[in-house]
């Protein structure tokens, strides 16, 4: 049994922006269940769901440490999005390292915690026995900053400003925090095997491809799981009516959601998307899919919100244009309960990401009886097997994929899926059942992380 400490910016459900939060809770819960002593360090945000903390600790079996580096770094009423985010998370990382007492494993997540790896090597000799693992959940955000910002955490930025250390590969006068995590950790992982390959290519690596290739010996992909206790359609706390039978449950929530959103109660397939509305997620492709789905006799529900004002405004316009459309509903907010209802109601679940490190929504969707229609990239490619083009038997297929992130790709995949729902109910049922049967719990990934940590049970 090992003592493991995670350092991250998010933890579900008390501090959640996206999938990172879900991973921290799901993995920590499973490691604790396996008997390890697990602690998760997150910033003491003023906007935390404080009431949820005790309940989470009790039910999940791991310790939560709220790190307060002093000052007003985390008194901003938000998680990210401040102009001084780099300084905020440098202060957080430093304070988190200072709180560590002899962990065997220090597991850092994304750029916000990455600097802890070089910091420990440079300044904390007592922690040098600990194994440092760094997991990259998204290579898009790397944390680029001027060398003197590191002064604030007593690191000599200029000592690290060489290309074999932390100098940004695109802009060598700047420090790249994520690169520091890669160079100074013992093991580096990312959240799916396909994404691990993609980031070694110029398009996927966002300037870090060379660094990944150089460190490939200690780099691997471990596919995320989902928290199957939280995401359990038969016992879901956020679904008011508990229905065991998947097809009866689907029928019930299709009706409920349509009622709630004022949509027509017609025998049409519901296509849904639940997502952050950022360029990575294929904004134009989502917009195109809405109109195309309706043209082909389906209904479309989008739950999403954007941190980018222009994108949010664009979708608000689209929502208003569709205000009287009985087959379209856009809900432009972050709403945990609605997300559960929509997974329960959806027939098809659409994820057209331009890149996707792992993606959790397609896994949740399958567990709730929806068939994923996804772009073949990253973790989406690792988890969705196309019924027509994978060359696999129906038994081993669970959805639809398309390769090119363009309108033609979207149309061909959606048409095939909608056509199957409309004309081949038996095949459709098979796809749904195959998805329902899959095990995407954390038990398998947690074992992989134990291997990465080099520990047993
Ligand atoms: P990412 O981490 O890039 O946001 P993932 O697919 O890994 O994407 O994880 C997304 C998580 O956030 C899922 O749990 C999904 O249900 C949730 N989510 C995304 N947008 C919303 C929203 N508007 N309301 C509620 N939950 C959301």
């Amino acid at each position: 049994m090992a003592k493991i400490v995670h350092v991250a910016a998010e933890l579900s459900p008390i501090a959640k922006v996206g999938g990172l939060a879900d991973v921290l809770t799901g993995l920590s819960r499973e490691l604790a269940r396996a008997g390890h002593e697990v602690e998760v360090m997150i910033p003491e945000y003023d906007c935390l769901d404080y009431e949820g903390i005790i309940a989470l600790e009790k039910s999940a079996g791991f310790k939560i440490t709220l790190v307060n580096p002093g000052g007003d770094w985390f008194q901003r009423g938000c998680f990210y999005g401040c102009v001084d985010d780099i300084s905020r998370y440098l202060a957080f990382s430093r304070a988190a390292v200072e709180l560590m007492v002899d962990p065997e494993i220090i597991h850092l997540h994304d750029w916000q915690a990455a600097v802890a790896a070089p910091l420990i090597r440079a300044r904390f000799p007592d922690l040098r026995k600990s194994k440092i693992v760094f997991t990259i959940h998204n290579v898009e955000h790397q944390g680029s900053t001027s060398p003197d910002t590191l002064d604030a955490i007593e690191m000599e930025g200029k000592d690290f400003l060489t290309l074999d250390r932390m100098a940004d590969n695109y802009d060598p006068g700047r420090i790249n925090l994520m690169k520091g995590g890669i160079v100074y950790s013992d093991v580096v992982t990312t959240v799916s095997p396909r994404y691990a390959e993609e980031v070694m290519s110029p398009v996927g690596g966002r300037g870090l491809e060379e660094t990944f290739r150089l460190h490939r010996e200690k780099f691997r992909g471990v596919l995320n799981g989902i928290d199957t206790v939280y995401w359990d359609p038969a016992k879901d706390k956020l679904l008011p009516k508990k229905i065991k039978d998947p097809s009866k449950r689907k029928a019930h929530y299709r009706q409920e959601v349509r009622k709630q959103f004022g949509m027509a109660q017609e025998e049409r397939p519901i296509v849904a998307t639940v997502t952050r509305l950022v360029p990575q997620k294929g904004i134009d492709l989502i917009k195109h899919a809405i109109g195309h789905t309706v043209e082909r006799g389906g209904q479309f529900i989008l739950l999403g919100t954007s941190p980018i004002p222009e994108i949010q405004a664009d979708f608000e316009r689209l929502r208003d244009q569709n205000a009287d459309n009985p087959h379209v509903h856009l809900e432009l907010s972050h709403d945990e309960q609605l997300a559960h209802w929509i997974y329960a109601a959806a027939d098809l679940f659409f994820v057209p990401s331009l890149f996707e490190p792992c993606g959790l929504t397609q896994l949740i969707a399958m567990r709730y009886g929806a068939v994923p229609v996804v772009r073949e990239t990253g973790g989406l490619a690792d988890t969705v097997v196309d019924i027509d083009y994978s060359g696999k038997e129906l038994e081993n297929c669970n959805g639809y994929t398309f390769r090119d992130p363009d309108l033609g790709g979207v149309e061909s995949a959606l048409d095939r899926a909608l056509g199957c729902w409309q004309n081949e109910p038996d095949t459709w049922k098979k796809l749904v059942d195959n998805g329902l049967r899959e095990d995407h719990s954390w038990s398998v990934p947690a074992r992989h992380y134990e291997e990465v940590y080099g520990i047993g049970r």
Side-chain angles (χ1 to χ4, degrees), residues 16-20 22 231 274-276 280-281 303-305 333-336 339 343 356 359-361 364:
K16 172 162 167 171
V17 178
L20 174 63
D22 296 345
W231 295 109
V274 177
T275 188
R276 293 182 298 121
Q280 169 196 341
K281 303 293 181 180
L303 172 63
T305 179
S333 61
H334 188 99
D335 190 321
E336 191 66 25
Y343 287 117
E356 192 59 76
L360 300 177
T361 60
I364 302 169

mmCIF file of all heavy atoms in Angstrom, residues 16-20 22 231 274-276 280-281 303-305 333-336 339 343 356 359-361 364, ligand 1:
data_model
loop_
_atom_site.group_PDB
_atom_site.id
_atom_site.type_symbol
_atom_site.label_atom_id
_atom_site.label_comp_id
_atom_site.label_asym_id
_atom_site.label_seq_id
_atom_site.Cartn_x
_atom_site.Cartn_y
_atom_site.Cartn_z
ATOM 1 N N LYS A 16 -15.401 21.816 -10.325
ATOM 2 C CA LYS A 16 -15.391 21.180 -11.642
ATOM 3 C C LYS A 16 -15.540 22.185 -12.777
ATOM 4 O O LYS A 16 -16.436 23.017 -12.757
ATOM 5 C CB LYS A 16 -16.533 20.160 -11.722
ATOM 6 C CG LYS A 16 -16.710 19.604 -13.130
ATOM 7 C CD LYS A 16 -17.486 18.327 -13.170
ATOM 8 C CE LYS A 16 -17.904 17.994 -14.597
ATOM 9 N NZ LYS A 16 -18.467 16.684 -14.759
ATOM 10 N N VAL A 17 -14.644 22.079 -13.733
ATOM 11 C CA VAL A 17 -14.798 22.811 -14.990
ATOM 12 C C VAL A 17 -15.044 21.803 -16.112
ATOM 13 O O VAL A 17 -15.946 21.943 -16.917
ATOM 14 C CB VAL A 17 -13.548 23.673 -15.301
ATOM 15 C CG1 VAL A 17 -13.719 24.380 -16.646
ATOM 16 C CG2 VAL A 17 -13.312 24.677 -14.191
ATOM 17 N N GLY A 18 -14.221 20.757 -16.147
ATOM 18 C CA GLY A 18 -14.380 19.748 -17.206
ATOM 19 C C GLY A 18 -13.947 18.384 -16.711
ATOM 20 O O GLY A 18 -14.014 18.074 -15.513
ATOM 21 N N GLY A 19 -13.457 17.580 -17.663
ATOM 22 C CA GLY A 19 -13.134 16.184 -17.387
ATOM 23 C C GLY A 19 -12.031 15.981 -16.349
ATOM 24 O O GLY A 19 -12.013 14.966 -15.655
ATOM 25 N N LEU A 20 -11.115 16.933 -16.250
ATOM 26 C CA LEU A 20 -10.032 16.822 -15.259
ATOM 27 C C LEU A 20 -10.594 16.541 -13.866
ATOM 28 O O LEU A 20 -10.093 15.692 -13.125
ATOM 29 C CB LEU A 20 -9.214 18.131 -15.261
ATOM 30 C CG LEU A 20 -8.131 18.275 -14.201
ATOM 31 C CD1 LEU A 20 -7.044 17.218 -14.373
ATOM 32 C CD2 LEU A 20 -7.496 19.672 -14.264
ATOM 33 N N ASP A 22 -13.426 15.116 -13.054
ATOM 34 C CA ASP A 22 -13.975 13.753 -12.979
ATOM 35 C C ASP A 22 -12.861 12.729 -12.816
ATOM 36 O O ASP A 22 -12.990 11.745 -12.094
ATOM 37 C CB ASP A 22 -14.764 13.421 -14.257
ATOM 38 C CG ASP A 22 -15.986 14.304 -14.413
ATOM 39 O OD1 ASP A 22 -16.380 14.956 -13.433
ATOM 40 O OD2 ASP A 22 -16.550 14.342 -15.518
ATOM 41 N N TRP A 231 -21.985 7.917 -12.160
ATOM 42 C CA TRP A 231 -22.699 7.804 -13.440
ATOM 43 C C TRP A 231 -23.331 6.426 -13.545
ATOM 44 O O TRP A 231 -22.848 5.565 -14.275
ATOM 45 C CB TRP A 231 -21.739 8.037 -14.616
ATOM 46 C CG TRP A 231 -21.174 9.421 -14.684
ATOM 47 C CD1 TRP A 231 -19.891 9.773 -14.424
ATOM 48 C CD2 TRP A 231 -21.855 10.629 -15.060
ATOM 49 N NE1 TRP A 231 -19.736 11.138 -14.609
ATOM 50 C CE2 TRP A 231 -20.929 11.681 -15.001
ATOM 51 C CE3 TRP A 231 -23.173 10.923 -15.433
ATOM 52 C CZ2 TRP A 231 -21.261 13.006 -15.295
ATOM 53 C CZ3 TRP A 231 -23.499 12.245 -15.723
ATOM 54 C CH2 TRP A 231 -22.554 13.268 -15.657
ATOM 55 N N VAL A 274 -23.152 17.396 -25.002
ATOM 56 C CA VAL A 274 -22.925 18.102 -23.733
ATOM 57 C C VAL A 274 -21.452 18.485 -23.737
ATOM 58 O O VAL A 274 -20.591 17.609 -23.737
ATOM 59 C CB VAL A 274 -23.224 17.186 -22.519
ATOM 60 C CG1 VAL A 274 -22.903 17.913 -21.210
ATOM 61 C CG2 VAL A 274 -24.666 16.702 -22.532
ATOM 62 N N THR A 275 -21.169 19.776 -23.755
ATOM 63 C CA THR A 275 -19.766 20.136 -23.960
ATOM 64 C C THR A 275 -19.423 21.568 -23.556
ATOM 65 O O THR A 275 -20.301 22.433 -23.508
ATOM 66 C CB THR A 275 -19.412 19.964 -25.458
ATOM 67 O OG1 THR A 275 -18.008 20.132 -25.622
ATOM 68 C CG2 THR A 275 -20.121 20.985 -26.339
ATOM 69 N N ARG A 276 -18.145 21.778 -23.270
ATOM 70 C CA ARG A 276 -17.639 23.146 -23.221
ATOM 71 C C ARG A 276 -17.598 23.615 -24.674
ATOM 72 O O ARG A 276 -17.154 22.871 -25.553
ATOM 73 C CB ARG A 276 -16.212 23.169 -22.656
ATOM 74 C CG ARG A 276 -16.109 22.766 -21.205
ATOM 75 C CD ARG A 276 -14.670 22.859 -20.709
ATOM 76 N NE ARG A 276 -13.776 21.965 -21.432
ATOM 77 C CZ ARG A 276 -12.707 22.353 -22.119
ATOM 78 N NH1 ARG A 276 -12.381 23.626 -22.178
ATOM 79 N NH2 ARG A 276 -11.951 21.475 -22.745
ATOM 80 N N GLN A 280 -11.645 23.530 -29.692
ATOM 81 C CA GLN A 280 -11.280 22.102 -29.674
ATOM 82 C C GLN A 280 -12.463 21.182 -29.957
ATOM 83 O O GLN A 280 -12.326 20.109 -30.543
ATOM 84 C CB GLN A 280 -10.704 21.765 -28.281
ATOM 85 C CG GLN A 280 -10.514 20.283 -28.015
ATOM 86 C CD GLN A 280 -10.321 19.966 -26.526
ATOM 87 O OE1 GLN A 280 -9.983 20.838 -25.735
ATOM 88 N NE2 GLN A 280 -10.524 18.716 -26.150
ATOM 89 N N LYS A 281 -13.649 21.597 -29.538
ATOM 90 C CA LYS A 281 -14.812 20.711 -29.599
ATOM 91 C C LYS A 281 -15.502 20.713 -30.960
ATOM 92 O O LYS A 281 -16.527 20.051 -31.132
ATOM 93 C CB LYS A 281 -15.811 21.087 -28.497
ATOM 94 C CG LYS A 281 -15.212 21.046 -27.092
ATOM 95 C CD LYS A 281 -14.836 19.626 -26.660
ATOM 96 C CE LYS A 281 -14.269 19.599 -25.254
ATOM 97 N NZ LYS A 281 -13.895 18.247 -24.806
ATOM 98 N N LEU A 303 -26.326 20.983 -24.619
ATOM 99 C CA LEU A 303 -26.069 21.616 -23.326
ATOM 100 C C LEU A 303 -24.618 22.046 -23.347
ATOM 101 O O LEU A 303 -23.717 21.198 -23.456
ATOM 102 C CB LEU A 303 -26.310 20.627 -22.175
ATOM 103 C CG LEU A 303 -25.893 21.123 -20.783
ATOM 104 C CD1 LEU A 303 -26.687 22.347 -20.356
ATOM 105 C CD2 LEU A 303 -26.054 20.000 -19.743
ATOM 106 N N GLY A 304 -24.377 23.348 -23.300
ATOM 107 C CA GLY A 304 -22.990 23.781 -23.369
ATOM 108 C C GLY A 304 -22.857 25.227 -22.972
ATOM 109 O O GLY A 304 -23.830 25.988 -22.982
ATOM 110 N N THR A 305 -21.646 25.582 -22.642
ATOM 111 C CA THR A 305 -21.394 26.968 -22.293
ATOM 112 C C THR A 305 -19.983 27.303 -22.738
ATOM 113 O O THR A 305 -19.142 26.414 -22.846
ATOM 114 C CB THR A 305 -21.609 27.193 -20.780
ATOM 115 O OG1 THR A 305 -21.318 28.550 -20.489
ATOM 116 C CG2 THR A 305 -20.715 26.323 -19.952
ATOM 117 N N SER A 333 -25.822 26.789 -20.576
ATOM 118 C CA SER A 333 -25.377 26.981 -19.196
ATOM 119 C C SER A 333 -24.600 25.753 -18.779
ATOM 120 O O SER A 333 -24.536 24.759 -19.508
ATOM 121 C CB SER A 333 -26.597 27.146 -18.286
ATOM 122 O OG SER A 333 -27.379 25.971 -18.356
ATOM 123 N N HIS A 334 -24.002 25.826 -17.599
ATOM 124 C CA HIS A 334 -23.403 24.616 -17.025
ATOM 125 C C HIS A 334 -24.395 24.095 -16.008
ATOM 126 O O HIS A 334 -24.717 24.768 -15.042
ATOM 127 C CB HIS A 334 -22.061 24.931 -16.358
ATOM 128 C CG HIS A 334 -21.344 23.681 -15.942
ATOM 129 N ND1 HIS A 334 -20.335 23.113 -16.693
ATOM 130 C CD2 HIS A 334 -21.541 22.844 -14.896
ATOM 131 C CE1 HIS A 334 -19.943 22.000 -16.111
ATOM 132 N NE2 HIS A 334 -20.647 21.808 -15.025
ATOM 133 N N ASP A 335 -24.926 22.919 -16.252
ATOM 134 C CA ASP A 335 -25.982 22.414 -15.391
ATOM 135 C C ASP A 335 -25.832 20.905 -15.227
ATOM 136 O O ASP A 335 -26.156 20.126 -16.120
ATOM 137 C CB ASP A 335 -27.342 22.777 -16.020
ATOM 138 C CG ASP A 335 -28.500 22.502 -15.078
ATOM 139 O OD1 ASP A 335 -28.458 21.474 -14.371
ATOM 140 O OD2 ASP A 335 -29.434 23.312 -15.055
ATOM 141 N N GLU A 336 -25.354 20.533 -14.053
ATOM 142 C CA GLU A 336 -25.037 19.122 -13.803
ATOM 143 C C GLU A 336 -26.293 18.244 -13.917
ATOM 144 O O GLU A 336 -26.276 17.200 -14.562
ATOM 145 C CB GLU A 336 -24.410 19.007 -12.403
ATOM 146 C CG GLU A 336 -23.789 17.674 -12.089
ATOM 147 C CD GLU A 336 -22.569 17.331 -12.941
ATOM 148 O OE1 GLU A 336 -21.891 18.248 -13.450
ATOM 149 O OE2 GLU A 336 -22.312 16.135 -13.116
ATOM 150 N N ALA A 339 -27.437 17.763 -17.428
ATOM 151 C CA ALA A 339 -26.535 16.859 -18.147
ATOM 152 C C ALA A 339 -26.994 15.413 -17.947
ATOM 153 O O ALA A 339 -27.095 14.635 -18.901
ATOM 154 C CB ALA A 339 -25.093 17.047 -17.666
ATOM 155 N N TYR A 343 -28.174 12.849 -20.956
ATOM 156 C CA TYR A 343 -27.567 11.531 -21.234
ATOM 157 C C TYR A 343 -28.658 10.455 -21.218
ATOM 158 O O TYR A 343 -28.669 9.543 -22.045
ATOM 159 C CB TYR A 343 -26.507 11.177 -20.190
ATOM 160 C CG TYR A 343 -25.216 11.961 -20.305
ATOM 161 C CD1 TYR A 343 -24.794 12.808 -19.286
ATOM 162 C CD2 TYR A 343 -24.392 11.830 -21.427
ATOM 163 C CE1 TYR A 343 -23.604 13.527 -19.382
ATOM 164 C CE2 TYR A 343 -23.204 12.540 -21.527
ATOM 165 C CZ TYR A 343 -22.821 13.383 -20.497
ATOM 166 O OH TYR A 343 -21.652 14.087 -20.600
ATOM 167 N N GLU A 356 -9.134 15.360 -29.107
ATOM 168 C CA GLU A 356 -9.790 14.990 -27.851
ATOM 169 C C GLU A 356 -8.878 14.045 -27.068
ATOM 170 O O GLU A 356 -8.760 12.864 -27.409
ATOM 171 C CB GLU A 356 -11.129 14.305 -28.137
ATOM 172 C CG GLU A 356 -12.022 14.148 -26.916
ATOM 173 C CD GLU A 356 -12.353 15.487 -26.261
ATOM 174 O OE1 GLU A 356 -13.201 16.241 -26.782
ATOM 175 O OE2 GLU A 356 -11.724 15.782 -25.228
ATOM 176 N N GLY A 359 -11.800 12.302 -23.601
ATOM 177 C CA GLY A 359 -13.241 12.480 -23.785
ATOM 178 C C GLY A 359 -13.972 11.545 -22.835
ATOM 179 O O GLY A 359 -13.722 10.341 -22.821
ATOM 180 N N LEU A 360 -14.839 12.129 -22.029
ATOM 181 C CA LEU A 360 -15.610 11.307 -21.096
ATOM 182 C C LEU A 360 -17.056 11.201 -21.537
ATOM 183 O O LEU A 360 -17.742 10.230 -21.233
ATOM 184 C CB LEU A 360 -15.565 11.928 -19.690
ATOM 185 C CG LEU A 360 -14.171 12.081 -19.075
ATOM 186 C CD1 LEU A 360 -14.261 12.772 -17.722
ATOM 187 C CD2 LEU A 360 -13.508 10.710 -18.922
ATOM 188 N N THR A 361 -17.516 12.207 -22.301
ATOM 189 C CA THR A 361 -18.957 12.251 -22.561
ATOM 190 C C THR A 361 -19.413 11.055 -23.407
ATOM 191 O O THR A 361 -20.513 10.550 -23.207
ATOM 192 C CB THR A 361 -19.384 13.572 -23.233
ATOM 193 O OG1 THR A 361 -18.713 13.728 -24.477
ATOM 194 C CG2 THR A 361 -19.093 14.769 -22.359
ATOM 195 N N ILE A 364 -19.837 8.194 -20.902
ATOM 196 C CA ILE A 364 -21.051 8.357 -20.084
ATOM 197 C C ILE A 364 -22.277 8.051 -20.948
ATOM 198 O O ILE A 364 -23.195 7.330 -20.538
ATOM 199 C CB ILE A 364 -21.146 9.797 -19.529
ATOM 200 C CG1 ILE A 364 -19.914 10.140 -18.683
ATOM 201 C CG2 ILE A 364 -22.429 9.973 -18.709
ATOM 202 C CD1 ILE A 364 -19.797 11.617 -18.308
HETATM 203 P P1 LIG B 1 -13.338 18.361 -21.290
HETATM 204 O O1 LIG B 1 -12.525 17.906 -20.109
HETATM 205 O O2 LIG B 1 -12.509 18.766 -22.460
HETATM 206 O O3 LIG B 1 -14.341 19.397 -20.929
HETATM 207 P P2 LIG B 1 -14.514 15.698 -21.218
HETATM 208 O O4 LIG B 1 -15.362 14.960 -22.193
HETATM 209 O O5 LIG B 1 -13.273 15.016 -20.762
HETATM 210 O O6 LIG B 1 -14.201 17.126 -21.839
HETATM 211 O O7 LIG B 1 -15.375 16.015 -19.892
HETATM 212 C C1 LIG B 1 -16.490 16.828 -19.917
HETATM 213 C C2 LIG B 1 -17.252 16.708 -18.595
HETATM 214 O O8 LIG B 1 -17.907 17.948 -18.321
HETATM 215 C C3 LIG B 1 -18.342 15.666 -18.634
HETATM 216 O O9 LIG B 1 -18.558 15.160 -17.332
HETATM 217 C C4 LIG B 1 -19.574 16.487 -19.098
HETATM 218 O O10 LIG B 1 -20.799 15.891 -18.716
HETATM 219 C C5 LIG B 1 -19.325 17.779 -18.357
HETATM 220 N N1 LIG B 1 -19.912 18.972 -18.994
HETATM 221 C C6 LIG B 1 -19.465 19.647 -20.086
HETATM 222 N N2 LIG B 1 -20.254 20.705 -20.351
HETATM 223 C C7 LIG B 1 -21.234 20.707 -19.422
HETATM 224 C C8 LIG B 1 -22.365 21.560 -19.146
HETATM 225 N N3 LIG B 1 -22.635 22.632 -19.893
HETATM 226 N N4 LIG B 1 -23.162 21.250 -18.099
HETATM 227 C C9 LIG B 1 -22.888 20.165 -17.323
HETATM 228 N N5 LIG B 1 -21.841 19.332 -17.522
HETATM 229 C C10 LIG B 1 -21.010 19.600 -18.539
#
